[in-house]
């Protein structure tokens, strides 16, 4: 079959199928017209339904009537044990805000930062109990230029082995290690020393503890150990009977001050007192500064007491000393005049032998050296 024949057969098939489709559409339209009711109300109802629902409605009128008056089954009665609908509504209303509150709380918990773990007490803090010292902990201090520190306490009193308290006035802000060293010094060294003096120690005179400053309060100097809460300045201590023992007082027995000197130099890495510099003439500086090689500084001179009265006149001249006039003229005496004659003092003999000596010295005019000066000037000019 050639191309022209195939094209003609395809055209005829398309026309035949088109005619068959048109015939089917016409038949369907006729069927719809035949089944459409004449009543307008029925027509309206039929228009709402599907178009094929009323095709065979005229053939079964009795079946349709039965379907209209059919009894619709009711739901089963509600059980007695079931909660009422009102209660359900109330519980729903009550539970709704609770659920919203829970969601809000969860949102706040998620938004809030996680709480930081509480720091555990140090070994020093655990060892410094109320049986040793009254030293409550205080928050860490972080100041400017490195001032402050951690594990700080406020040393208020030292508790002796016999439960008596030695007050620290005013209370000192120190690191726990420094406070522990002060408590050990008072308990082991100062309390027995006071007992040997016939009394009991009752108070420690605190001159200075924590202070954010440079060394010796000089502006721009290196940070002092006081700025790190690692130093204490002590003036002295007071006994139970009110006696004040100053560690820099020269009238205090020397042996007592030397005993205190040896005790502090054995416990602290820095001890500064009189003769170290003029900043520590009236108190003793103690600290626990760490240095390379565990180097320690102990500069405290135990000074002797000053004399009660200064001598007003010079000491008497020894008897074997020569007279003052002879001693003054001994350098100008001549060798032949050195041998005095018997029975006369040396001064009288010299005056008798040379009566005109002083006069000749006074009357003799000085020599003029003007010509020599002129010659020098002439030589310089030449």
């Amino acid at each position: 079959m050639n191309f022209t024949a195939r094209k003609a057969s395809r055209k005829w098939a398309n026309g035949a199928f088109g005619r068959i489709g048109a015939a089917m559409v016409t038949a369907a339209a006729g069927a719809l017209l035949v089944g459409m009711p004449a009543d307008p109300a029925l027509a309206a109802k039929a228009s709402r339904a599907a178009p094929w629902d009323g095709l065979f409605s005229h053939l079964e009128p009795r079946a349709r009537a039965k379907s209209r008056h059919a009894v619709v089954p009711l739901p089963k009665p509600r059980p007695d044990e079931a909660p009422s609908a009102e209660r359900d509504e109330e519980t729903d209303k009550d539970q709704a805000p609770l659920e919203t509150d829970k969601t809000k709380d969860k949102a706040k918990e998620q938004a809030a930062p996680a709480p930081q773990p509480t720091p555990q007490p140090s070994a020093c803090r655990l060892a410094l109990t109320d049986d040793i010292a009254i030293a409550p902990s205080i928050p860490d201090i972080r100041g400017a230029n490195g001032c402050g520190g951690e594990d700080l306490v406020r040393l208020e009193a030292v508790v002796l082995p016999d439960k008596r308290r030695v007050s620290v006035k005013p209370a000192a802000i120190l690191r726990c290690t420094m406070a522990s060293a002060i408590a050990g010094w008072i308990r082991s060294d100062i309390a027995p020393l006071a007992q040997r003096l016939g009394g009991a120690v009752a108070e420690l005179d605190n001159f200075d503890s924590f202070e954010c400053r440079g060394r010796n309060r000089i502006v721009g100097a290196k940070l002092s150990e006081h700025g790190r809460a690692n130093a204490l300045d002590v003036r002295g201590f007071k006994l139970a009977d009110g006696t004040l023992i100053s560690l820099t007082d020269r009238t205090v027995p020397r042996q007592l001050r030397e005993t205190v000197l040896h005790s502090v130099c054995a416990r602290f890495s820095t001890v500064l007192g009189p003769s170290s510099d003029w900043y520590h003439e009236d108190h003793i500086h103690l600290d626990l500064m760490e240095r390379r090689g565990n180097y320690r500084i102990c500069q405290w001179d135990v000074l002797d007491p000053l004399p009660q009265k200064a001598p007003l006149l010079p000491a008497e001249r020894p008897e074997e000393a020569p007279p003052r006039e002879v001693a003054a003229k001994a350098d100008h005496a001549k060798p032949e005049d050195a041998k005095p004659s018997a029975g006369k003092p040396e001064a009288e003999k010299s005056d008798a032998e040379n009566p005109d000596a002083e006069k000749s010295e006074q009357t003799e005019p000085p020599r003029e050296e003007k010509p020599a000066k002129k010659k020098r000037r002439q030589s310089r000019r030449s």
Side-chain angles (χ1 to χ4, degrees):
M1 185 181 293
N2 56 9
F3 177 75
T4 305
R6 284 189 301 221
K7 189 174 181 181
S9 62
R10 188 179 299 171
K11 188 176 181 181
W12 179 85
N14 292 334
F17 284 116
R19 287 191 294 273
I20 293 171
M24 292 177 67
V25 171
T26 303
L32 291 173
L33 292 173
V34 171
M36 183 178 296
D39 190 0
L42 294 175
K45 290 181 180 180
S47 63
R48 294 194 203 100
W52 55 84
D53 290 344
L55 289 177
F56 303 98
S57 58
H58 62 284
L59 300 178
E60 299 178 354
R62 294 180 180 179
R64 288 178 57 82
K66 289 181 181 179
S67 64
R68 287 178 185 175
H69 300 285
V71 179
V72 178
L74 297 174
K76 294 180 180 181
R78 189 177 184 86
D80 295 336
E81 62 273 8
S84 62
E86 296 178 356
R87 293 178 181 177
D88 294 343
E89 293 177 358
E90 292 178 357
T91 53
D92 293 341
K93 291 179 181 179
D94 295 339
Q95 291 177 359
L98 292 176
E99 292 178 356
T100 55
D101 294 341
K102 289 180 180 180
T103 54
K104 289 180 180 179
D105 294 340
K106 289 181 179 179
K108 289 181 180 179
E109 290 177 359
Q110 293 177 358
Q116 297 181 356
T118 56
Q120 298 296 326
S122 63
C124 175
R125 176 69 270 186
L126 294 175
L128 193 64
T129 61
D130 294 340
D131 296 334
I132 298 176
I134 307 300
S137 298
I138 62 174
D140 298 342
I141 299 176
R142 293 180 175 85
N145 301 324
C147 282
E150 300 177 353
D151 196 16
L152 303 179
V153 299
R154 185 174 64 252
L155 182 61
E156 300 175 358
V158 177
V159 181
L160 299 179
D162 57 0
K163 303 303 179 183
R164 289 184 297 106
R165 294 185 178 183
V166 179
S167 302
V168 179
K169 292 187 178 181
I173 296 177
L174 302 168
R175 296 193 181 194
C176 180
T177 53
M178 185 64 186
S180 179
I182 294 293
W185 174 54
I186 297 295
R187 287 165 58 92
S188 302
D189 298 339
I190 299 301
L193 179 61
Q195 291 291 339
R196 290 195 295 270
L197 295 175
V201 60
E203 182 181 322
L204 180 69
D205 187 4
N206 169 27
F207 183 60
D208 191 16
S209 58
F210 170 71
E211 184 180 356
C212 187
R213 61 175 175 82
R215 292 181 179 178
N216 299 324
R217 291 186 174 85
I218 298 175
V219 179
K222 192 175 181 180
L223 183 64
S224 172
E225 290 299 304
H226 287 280
R228 298 186 176 94
N230 196 33
L232 181 70
D233 288 344
V234 179
R235 283 179 175 173
F237 51 89
K238 186 183 291 185
L239 301 180
D241 58 358
T243 304
L244 179 62
I245 298 177
S246 176
L247 299 178
T248 58
D249 187 2
R250 296 184 180 216
T251 61
V252 175
R254 182 184 180 89
Q255 184 178 0
L256 173 62
R257 290 179 288 152
E258 287 181 348
T259 303
V260 178
L261 168 65
H262 295 316
S263 67
V264 292
C265 289
R267 290 182 176 272
F268 301 95
S269 59
T270 305
V271 178
L272 300 176
S275 300
S276 62
D277 51 36
W278 67 276
Y279 296 100
H280 301 90
E281 293 297 322
D282 58 349
H283 66 276
I284 306 300
H285 171 91
L286 310 173
D287 69 45
L288 289 177
M289 181 179 180
E290 295 181 359
R291 299 183 182 87
R292 186 179 300 176
N294 197 21
Y295 180 72
R296 291 171 173 265
I297 295 177
C298 182
Q299 297 179 356
W300 174 11
D301 289 344
V302 179
L303 303 176
D304 293 326
L306 296 173
Q308 295 181 358
K309 292 183 179 180
L312 300 178
L313 297 175
E316 295 181 359
R317 189 176 182 84
E319 295 180 357
E320 62 272 11
R324 295 184 183 276
E325 296 180 357
V326 177
K329 295 181 180 180
D331 297 337
H332 302 285
K334 295 181 179 180
E336 58 272 9
D337 297 337
K339 297 179 181 179
S341 59
K344 291 185 179 181
E346 183 179 357
E348 294 179 359
K349 290 179 180 180
S350 61
D351 294 338
E353 293 175 0
N354 300 320
D356 299 331
E358 294 181 359
K359 294 180 180 180
S360 62
E361 291 178 0
Q362 293 178 356
T363 56
E364 184 179 356
R367 296 179 182 179
E368 294 182 1
E369 296 181 356
K370 293 181 180 180
K373 291 182 180 179
K374 290 181 180 180
K375 291 180 181 180
R376 290 179 183 175
R377 289 178 183 175
Q378 291 176 0
S379 64
R380 287 178 184 175
R381 289 177 184 176
S382 60

